[in-house]
Amino acid sequence: MLCRFAAASRSSAKLVAPLGCLVSRQKHTLPDLPYDYAALEPHINAEIMQLHHSKHHATYVNNLNVVEEKYKEAVAKGDVTTQVSLQPALKFNGGGHINHSIFWTNLSPNGGGEPKGELMEAIKRDFGSFANFKEKLTAVSVGVQGSGWGWLGYNKEQGRLQIAACANQDPLQGTTGLIPLLGIDVWEHAYYLQYKNVRPDYLKAIWNVINWENVSSRYATCKK
């Protein structure tokens, strides 16, 4: 969605540049899951996965398409006020789509355990041990007030891993500059039907389905 806005001579060019060129594009679509809804049981049950993917993520996708269409119309009309008013909806629904698209690939029925290779070495370097890293990311995720995400990200400028929390659907890279490697959704819709309001139990369970191959691949890619 993000790209440079070429028409720099127009008065609204600087405003729309970070939001993307919306004049000619295909609509966003809900990505298929790489596993069945029941594949992550008993750690995350099928009902949660079905609702989370086919309802919640789908809503972000649909709303993002609607907002982008309105934004495109506002750009065409030179309506800067409307462009500004649409930015929170772009951030929320665009972030929801970005975050969940990462989240599904971060999970696997064959997940769990510990990472290997370069990622494990980086975790030991930046957090002391895998156990320390796991404890810190869990604590940050538990501590998110209301709804949001716990993240492991890569700071490309400093060449190190960092843990961060983002509120609501704020996208990690768009709000902190960190490249997302592993995201843990702590909105209640991600766990309430199974774990009620006991977020720590959900976070204890989710480590059993973390797809470390996917996280390692993301780490290797962002280092290039």
Side-chain angles (χ1 to χ4, degrees):
M1 185 179 74
L2 301 180
C3 61
R4 297 281 183 183
F5 190 76
S9 62
R10 296 183 59 177
S11 61
S12 59
K14 291 184 179 180
L15 173 66
V16 300
L19 295 176
C21 300
L22 307 177
V23 176
S24 178
R25 64 166 186 82
Q26 293 182 341
K27 288 186 178 295
H28 301 285
T29 58
L30 182 68
D32 293 332
L33 292 186
Y35 39 76
D36 294 333
Y37 287 135
L40 303 183
E41 291 186 341
H43 310 293
I44 305 176
N45 69 36
E47 184 180 13
I48 287 176
M49 291 299 295
Q50 183 174 8
L51 289 171
H52 198 172
H53 176 255
S54 67
K55 300 297 183 183
H56 291 282
H57 189 175
T59 297
Y60 296 125
V61 172
N62 294 336
N63 288 343
L64 178 59
N65 285 324
V66 170
V67 173
E68 285 193 343
E69 188 64 30
K70 292 180 179 178
Y71 194 91
K72 182 180 72 173
E73 294 172 359
V75 170
K77 295 176 181 178
D79 185 351
V80 177
T81 298
T82 297
Q83 293 173 51
V84 171
S85 70
L86 289 170
Q87 290 183 42
L90 280 171
K91 182 180 181 181
F92 182 75
N93 292 291
H97 182 35
I98 291 169
N99 294 341
H100 285 88
S101 296
I102 296 170
F103 182 61
W104 307 131
T105 64
N106 279 165
L107 305 178
S108 170
N110 300 314
E114 300 181 357
K116 300 177 181 178
E118 288 188 351
L119 177 60
M120 184 58 141
E121 293 305 312
I123 287 174
K124 290 179 179 178
R125 178 195 68 211
D126 296 330
F127 301 104
S129 68
F130 178 75
N132 285 343
F133 154 72
K134 184 176 176 181
E135 181 180 352
K136 289 180 179 179
L137 182 53
T138 298
V140 165
S141 301
V142 168
V144 171
Q145 294 185 351
S147 301
W149 293 72
W151 287 98
L152 171 66
Y154 180 67
N155 187 320
K156 200 170 184 67
E157 291 185 359
Q158 299 180 13
R160 67 185 184 94
L161 302 174
Q162 288 183 228
I163 287 172
C166 290
N168 300 313
Q169 293 297 350
D170 292 359
L172 182 69
Q173 190 165 4
T175 53
T176 70
L178 299 176
I179 300 172
L181 304 178
L182 169 63
I184 299 179
D185 188 350
V186 291
W187 281 66
E188 283 195 343
H189 64 235
Y191 61 88
Y192 192 85
L193 289 176
Q194 185 171 359
Y195 295 98
K196 306 306 178 188
N197 63 336
V198 189
R199 185 184 289 178
D201 286 355
Y202 158 70
L203 289 166
K204 181 179 179 180
I206 202 170
W207 289 104
N208 294 303
V209 290
I210 297 298
N211 184 354
W212 288 115
E213 288 187 7
N214 176 264
V215 182
S216 295
S217 177
R218 290 180 179 278
Y219 177 62
T221 299
C222 73
K223 286 180 62 183
K224 294 179 180 178

